[in-house]
């Protein structure tokens, strides 16, 4: 499998690996994928009072593309509003990392992981972000 | 500790050419270029003499007679010739073939092809160690069974079937027994007489010989096995496999067999010691690692481990500049299918995704084992820190260390 330099860099030195406090009402957690399929991604976001993501973390069971996709997604999440977070599309991740066609599903998983974390944050915080309307439409 | 990186622990995929083999081949890539079928000049006769010497060397390694060896392009062709050759030749006697789910694709896909041509295939399911029993084989035999095809040693796990017992069952029922011994030959004693094998596939490049050359043993007496020709042409190899002989390859294969035969006893002991050391050092350094394959009924050079919570490709990729190994994870395959061998053994899919095969060989050293085990432990620990272990705990059916 030929991977791009950018992907390998993020795979070897991923950013934002770790966990946030799940009990914090401002933290949303999403776990997507299945171990039987060889990919599980866990995303966590911390959202401030303005609905802006101040921190994002991930943990991934998966191949090189999965780890790099998750890492890139967390980088892109920081500083965005939850509404903007939901606009991150898998093909942007795939393009940025030059994912091989057979690995596109890794970027799809990252997109789903973001949605799942935002959904959880919404549920926990009880706040309505404008973006919520878009959640779960897929 | 001095090691040259990357370390090669993928000897079940292929082996480096032994310098002695290369040396023996060189004249036949140069001045002695003759066609072994040219009987009337010295160029041809020299080539033929070299081929016949090599044929004896190959036969000696497996306890056969030289006239029972057919040279092919490799074990895949040997498997095809053996299985299709029997299926076609004995069509009137029957159409039933017994094999196992853990065979190499060269056997599996050949059998699947024959299924489309009217053959009935019994796919034996192995036990959790990847082995079948002679009783299982016997239970599958019907009066329409014409062939049993079971590998001597598995390429992914090194698991050994009880080949000699299966050979007895085959003989008792008058069924032809083919064994793909690609991995076993050269690594452990293999004997067509004591194991009751009628057809046996072997390959040179798995035992420090060149690629593109292999052999098929075809029993001539008790019973005489006949094969429908698969490669038509000039009638080489007693008409069983046409095509100008690959003389340098054949000479290389003969020499590789000769070396394997004379050094096997010492070498397999040395490699087993290295393999055991590698396994032990890794298991001592990490929790939640499972051995895939049988702990003792196994090739001396192979250890296949599943590292819970980390996907195989991520480990292989992390070590790519230091260590050459392979994984049964679907993520590293073009088809995105997990190892069919581990699946057949009932290994949970998540654990199959986490499997790494280490296959050692003639040129590996203790220093390499120590370096590799230390790095594997480090990398798995590091990758586990990136893995959602808590969320995965339930799905990893770890069998303990």
């Amino acid at each position: 499998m030929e991977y791009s330099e950018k992907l390998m860099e993020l795979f070897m030195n991923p950013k934002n690996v770790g966990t946030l406090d799940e009990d914090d009402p401002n933290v949303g957690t999403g776990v997507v994928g299945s171990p039987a399929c060889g990919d599980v991604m866990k995303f966590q976001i911390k959202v401030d009072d303005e609905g802006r993501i101040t921190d994002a973390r991930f943990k991934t069971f998966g191949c090189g593309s999965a780890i790099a996709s998750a890492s890139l997604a967390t980088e892109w999440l920081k500083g965005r509003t939850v509404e903007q977070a939901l606009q991150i599309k898998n093909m942007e991740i795939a393009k940025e990392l030059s994912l091989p066609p057979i690995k596109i599903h890794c970027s799809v998983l990252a997109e789903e992981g973001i949605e799942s974390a935002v959904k959880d944050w919404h549920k926990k915080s009880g706040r309505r972000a404008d973006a919520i309307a878009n959640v779960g439409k897929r | 500790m001095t090691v040259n990186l990357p370390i090669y622990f993928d000897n079940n995929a292929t082996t480096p050419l032994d310098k002695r083999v290369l040396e023996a081949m060189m004249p036949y890539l140069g001045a002695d270029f003759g066609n072994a079928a040219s009987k009337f000049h010295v160029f041809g006769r020299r080539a033929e003499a070299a081929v016949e010497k090599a044929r004896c060397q190959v036969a000696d390694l497996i306890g056969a007679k030289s006239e029972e060896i057919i040279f092919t392009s490799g074990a895949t062709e040997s498997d095809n010739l053996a299985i299709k050759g029997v299926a076609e030749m004995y069509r009137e006697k029957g159409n039933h073939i017994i094999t196992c789910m853990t065979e190499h694709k060269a056997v599996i896909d050949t059998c699947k092809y024959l299924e489309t041509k009217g053959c009935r295939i019994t796919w034996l399911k192995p036990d959790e160690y990847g082995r079948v029993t002679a009783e299982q084989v016997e239970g599958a035999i019907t009066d329409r069974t014409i062939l049993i095809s079971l590998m001597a040693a598995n390429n992914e796990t090194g698991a050994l079937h009880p080949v000699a017992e299966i050979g007895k069952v085959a003989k008792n029922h008058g069924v032809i027994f083919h064994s793909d011994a690609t991995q076993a030959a050269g690594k452990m004693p293999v004997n067509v007489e004591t194991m009751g094998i009628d057809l046996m596939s072997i390959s040179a490049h798995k035992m420090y010989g060149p690629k593109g050359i292999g052999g098929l043993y075809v029993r001539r007496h008790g019973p005489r096995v006949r094969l429908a020709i698969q490669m038509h042409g000039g009638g080489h190899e007693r008409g069983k496999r046409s095509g100008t002989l690959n003389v340098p390859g054949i000479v290389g294969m003969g020499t590789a067999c000769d070396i394997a035969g004379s050094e096997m006893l010492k070498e397999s002991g040395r490699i087993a010691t290295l393999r055991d050391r590698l396994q032990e050092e890794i298991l001592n350094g990490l929790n939640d690692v499972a051995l895939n394959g049988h702990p003792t009924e196994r090739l001396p050079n192979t250890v296949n481990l599943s590292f819970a919570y980390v996907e195989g490709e991520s480990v292989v990729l992390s070590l790519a500049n230091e260590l050459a190994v392979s994984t049964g994870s679907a993520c590293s395959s073009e088809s995105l299918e997990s190892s069919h061998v581990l699946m057949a053994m009932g290994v949970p899919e998540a654990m199959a995704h986490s499997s790494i095969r280490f296959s050692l060989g003639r040129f590996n050293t203790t220093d390499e084992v120590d370096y590799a085990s230390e790095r594997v432990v480090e990398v798995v620990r590091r990758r586990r820190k990136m893995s959602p272990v808590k969320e995965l705990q339930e799905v990893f059916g770890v069998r303990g260390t």
Side-chain angles (χ1 to χ4, degrees):
Chain A
M1 197 76 66
E2 281 295 323
Y3 283 146
S4 67
E5 232 169 86
K6 168 103 190 170
L7 191 156
M8 279 306 289
E9 170 55 28
L10 280 183
F11 166 68
M12 293 305 276
N13 303 297
K15 311 278 196 306
N16 309 316
V17 173
T19 46
L20 301 170
D21 179 10
E22 257 177 67
D23 298 329
D24 184 336
N26 294 318
V27 168
T29 303
V31 182
V32 293
S34 111
C37 297
D39 297 298
V40 174
M41 287 188 197
K42 176 179 176 179
F43 281 98
Q44 290 188 303
I45 50 168
K46 187 166 183 168
V47 186
D48 70 11
D49 294 340
E50 271 87 57
R52 195 167 290 278
I53 296 168
T54 57
D55 204 356
R57 296 294 164 91
F58 83 93
K59 286 209 166 184
T60 289
F61 167 73
C63 62
S65 331
I67 290 169
S69 296
S71 173
L72 183 67
T74 53
E75 280 187 277
W76 283 356
L77 283 172
K78 286 188 189 178
R80 294 196 187 212
T81 63
V82 284
E83 185 185 20
Q84 289 163 342
L86 291 169
Q87 279 155 15
I88 296 174
K89 290 296 162 219
N90 83 289
M91 284 317 289
E92 294 172 69
I93 294 171
K95 200 174 155 206
E96 178 74 14
L97 299 176
S98 315
L99 288 186
I102 200 165
K103 299 285 193 176
I104 298 292
H105 68 276
C106 294
S107 65
V108 174
L109 209 55
E111 185 185 317
E112 289 172 1
I114 293 169
E115 282 179 8
S116 172
V118 169
K119 237 183 191 172
D120 182 62
W121 166 77
H122 170 242
K123 208 168 74 187
K124 272 169 70 181
S125 67
R127 273 177 300 194
R128 168 153 292 280
D130 293 340
I132 300 309
N134 297 322
V135 180
K137 267 193 178 169
R138 293 163 58 88
Chain B
M1 176 156 86
T2 50
V3 294
N4 291 323
L5 299 179
I7 298 164
Y8 189 72
F9 278 178
D10 206 11
N11 288 277
N12 286 8
T14 194
T15 54
L17 198 66
D18 191 303
K19 283 193 180 66
R20 293 167 289 181
V21 172
L22 179 61
E23 212 172 288
M25 290 171 69
M26 284 309 280
Y28 301 94
L29 293 161
D32 293 334
F33 60 86
N35 186 328
S38 305
K39 309 276 182 199
F40 298 107
H41 53 65
V42 67
F43 298 94
R45 281 202 299 271
R46 253 187 233 152
E48 195 200 6
V51 166
E52 292 318 310
K53 181 184 168 197
R55 207 185 293 281
C56 292
Q57 290 170 318
V58 174
D60 282 348
L61 181 68
I62 60 171
K65 296 179 197 74
S66 66
E67 63 268 27
E68 296 176 310
I69 304 296
I70 296 173
F71 287 112
T72 66
S73 63
T76 292
E77 186 191 333
S78 299
D79 288 342
N80 272 264
L81 174 56
I83 298 169
K84 290 179 194 164
V86 166
E88 265 183 57
M89 181 58 79
Y90 295 88
R91 183 168 287 166
E92 282 175 19
K93 194 184 166 216
N95 68 341
H96 180 223
I97 296 171
I98 299 167
T99 186
C100 178
M101 296 156 82
T102 57
E103 287 293 313
H104 190 271
K105 290 282 183 189
V107 169
I108 289 184
D109 284 4
T110 301
C111 287
K112 280 185 179 165
Y113 164 79
L114 288 172
E115 242 171 355
T116 71
K117 299 285 169 193
C119 282
R120 199 171 72 73
I121 315 290
T122 295
W123 302 97
L124 296 177
K125 186 173 163 48
D127 65 14
E128 61 182 305
Y129 302 114
R131 305 176 76 225
V132 298
T133 63
E135 292 75 33
Q136 242 180 309
V137 175
E138 187 156 36
I141 294 175
T142 73
D143 55 359
R144 300 283 291 159
T145 307
I146 50 173
L147 180 69
I148 296 163
S149 180
L150 290 167
M151 66 202 332
N154 185 269
N155 47 310
E156 290 189 28
T157 65
L160 308 175
H161 289 317
V163 171
E165 289 172 40
I166 294 165
K168 265 189 210 124
V169 165
K171 182 133 293 177
N172 287 343
H173 290 267
V175 176
I176 294 168
F177 178 28
H178 166 246
S179 186
D180 179 345
T182 306
Q183 294 294 342
K187 296 193 184 95
M188 54 179 273
V190 170
N191 187 299
V192 293
E193 291 307 326
T194 59
M195 292 176 157
I197 294 168
D198 302 316
L199 293 162
M200 189 164 91
S201 306
I202 52 175
S203 173
H205 78 99
K206 307 286 192 194
M207 47 171 131
Y208 315 97
K211 292 163 185 64
I213 185 75
L216 180 66
Y217 158 79
V218 185
R219 180 175 289 282
R220 303 251 295 176
H221 300 286
R224 180 188 179 89
V225 176
R226 294 176 305 140
L227 296 174
I229 297 165
Q230 302 298 311
M231 191 73 83
H232 299 88
H236 307 78
E237 298 298 86
R238 295 184 175 76
K240 289 197 173 80
R241 198 274 188 180
S242 288
T244 298
L245 296 187
N246 170 3
V247 178
I250 290 169
V251 168
M253 181 168 183
T255 308
C257 286
D258 190 41
I259 295 170
S262 57
E263 299 183 357
M264 183 185 298
L265 211 62
K266 233 174 98 186
E267 180 171 284
S268 63
R270 189 186 76 86
I271 293 175
T273 305
L274 290 181
R275 189 272 316 268
D276 292 344
R277 185 184 177 105
L278 178 71
Q279 181 175 324
E280 201 172 306
E281 285 176 351
I282 292 174
L283 292 179
N284 283 342
L286 294 166
N287 292 323
D288 298 337
V289 181
L291 174 69
N292 299 311
H294 199 279
T296 55
E297 292 300 309
R298 179 168 50 141
L299 283 175
N301 78 318
T302 308
V303 53
N304 186 317
L305 299 171
S306 281
F307 299 89
Y309 312 119
V310 291
E311 191 275 330
E313 191 206 89
S314 74
V315 176
V316 172
L317 207 55
S318 301
L319 290 165
N321 295 327
E322 301 164 75
L323 183 61
V325 291
S326 64
T327 169
S329 171
C331 297
S332 68
S333 76
E334 294 298 323
S335 63
L336 291 189
E337 278 170 26
S338 292
S339 153
H340 70 280
V341 174
L342 300 183
M343 293 288 97
M345 289 159 60
V347 172
E349 205 155 346
M351 285 300 262
H353 281 293
S354 306
S355 69
I356 309 272
R357 176 188 70 184
F358 306 85
S359 50
L360 279 59
R362 180 173 292 164
F363 304 111
N364 291 128
T365 64
T366 310
D367 282 350
E368 287 179 336
V369 165
D370 292 347
Y371 179 95
S373 59
E374 196 181 312
R375 289 294 294 138
V376 167
V377 168
E378 279 171 16
V379 162
V380 170
R381 280 191 188 151
R382 176 160 180 264
R383 290 289 163 193
R384 277 182 176 168
K385 286 192 185 136
M386 301 179 193
S387 174
V389 170
K390 194 165 61 104
E391 282 77 9
L392 293 171
Q393 239 148 17
E394 269 181 34
V395 298
F396 275 96
V398 181
R399 282 178 287 185
T401 53

